Every structure is written in structure tokens, then in C-alpha cells.
Amino acid sequence: MNKPQTIGVNKVVTMQYSLTNTDGVVVREASEKPVNYLHGAGVLFPKLERELKSHVVGDIVTVRLLPEDAFGKRDIDLLHKVPLGELPPEDPIEVGSKITGTDEDGNETAFTVTAIEDGIVSLDGNHPLAGQSLIFEVEIQSIRDATREEIREAGSGT
């Protein structure tokens, strides 16, 4: 009898998962499209990838990530208040909209408009899930050897 494939380096894994925060807010439903990833390529959070290693098809794995294991803690340096007149007029400025700005080093950063009061716009450059503990419930659906091309592409960052 053949031993089932286990998740390890250079295996392509198809998984279905749900994602909730510790308050029970659903971030991703398990009914969404399954996801493929190349194990060992660094595309998953490191702790999640470690927890999935050695599992087989059919396994259901629950992994809790603290903020530092996921999107990090909220960074107050990414919170800004800007006069409305200083923002590009072509960008829709309303609570919840996204705009792109640059940091002190000239790097592009995405910001979410969190408030507009008295002509002052509050911007948050944190990931929306920063500061939250997350719970992944993953079902392993298939495991196969990666092709040379898949491994090469993952190594080149494309």
C-alpha cells in the first residue's frame, strides 16, 4: 500500500480554509475558492506553514496566530491626520476608501481613510488585520510534488 503524501518542502498543497479573529468575526468563509500554495516557498505565515507540515489529505488543522505571527501589532507611526486639501483631488476621500501615499523614504504605502472631521482626514497605514489574533481552520484537499517550473518561479519571487 502506498504511503500518503505529506506536506513538506516543494509540495503543492490545495487547501480550503476559514479565517476568523478571536472575537468570532469571520474574515474568510471556508466556502470560498480553495487555495494552492508551494510549501517552503514562504508564501504563508511561518507559524501556519510550520503547523501544516507533515499533515496529509483530509486532515483538518486549526492554527491560532497571535498578532506578531500574522500581520503584526498596530503601529501608531502609521496613523496620520492630513488636511483634506493636501490629498490628491482625484482620489475618492470617504471613510473606508483606500489611498496611496509615500513614506519618508519614498516607498508607496496604502492607507485607509478612517475618519473625516472638520476638514482633517485620519489615515491608517496598518493592515486591516494588524493587532488581531487570527484562527485558521484548514482542510488539506490535495498534495502533489511541485514541478521544476513552480519551484523556479517561487525562487525568483514571481
Side-chain angles (χ1 to χ4, degrees):
M1 185 167 135
N2 288 342
K3 182 180 173 191
Q5 286 208 42
T6 61
I7 296 176
V9 174
N10 293 335
K11 299 289 185 180
V12 174
V13 179
T14 301
M15 65 181 190
Q16 185 55 275
Y17 72 96
S18 66
L19 175 61
T20 57
N21 67 18
T22 52
D23 293 329
V25 175
V26 176
V27 177
R28 183 187 193 275
E29 295 278 353
S31 59
E32 292 183 31
K33 184 178 177 184
V35 173
N36 295 321
Y37 81 96
L38 177 61
H39 196 84
V43 295
L44 299 182
F45 296 118
K47 182 178 179 182
L48 178 59
E49 191 168 70
R50 280 192 309 273
E51 294 292 328
L52 294 176
K53 185 179 179 189
S54 300
H55 281 277
V56 299
V57 171
D59 283 357
I60 295 176
V61 184
T62 301
V63 180
R64 180 182 173 147
L65 301 180
L66 297 174
E68 53 271 19
D69 297 323
F71 293 100
K73 295 180 179 178
R74 291 189 50 75
D75 183 348
I76 61 170
D77 291 336
L78 295 175
L79 303 176
H80 300 281
K81 293 192 181 289
V82 179
L84 184 58
E86 290 184 16
L87 297 174
E90 64 274 8
D91 287 339
I93 307 300
E94 54 190 40
V95 173
S97 64
K98 307 274 188 214
I99 62 171
T100 302
T102 53
D103 64 16
E104 301 80 33
D105 300 324
N107 300 313
E108 283 195 356
T109 303
F111 291 92
T112 301
V113 176
T114 57
I116 304 170
E117 293 180 19
D118 300 324
I120 302 295
V121 179
S122 296
L123 301 172
D124 186 347
N126 286 287
H127 186 281
L129 298 175
Q132 295 185 43
S133 293
L134 302 173
I135 301 167
F136 284 83
E137 186 166 299
V138 179
E139 178 186 1
I140 309 304
Q141 295 183 328
S142 70
I143 303 168
R144 66 169 174 80
D145 293 330
T147 65
R148 283 191 204 124
E149 184 176 334
E150 288 169 324
I151 295 167
R152 187 179 77 250
E153 286 176 5
S156 66
T158 57

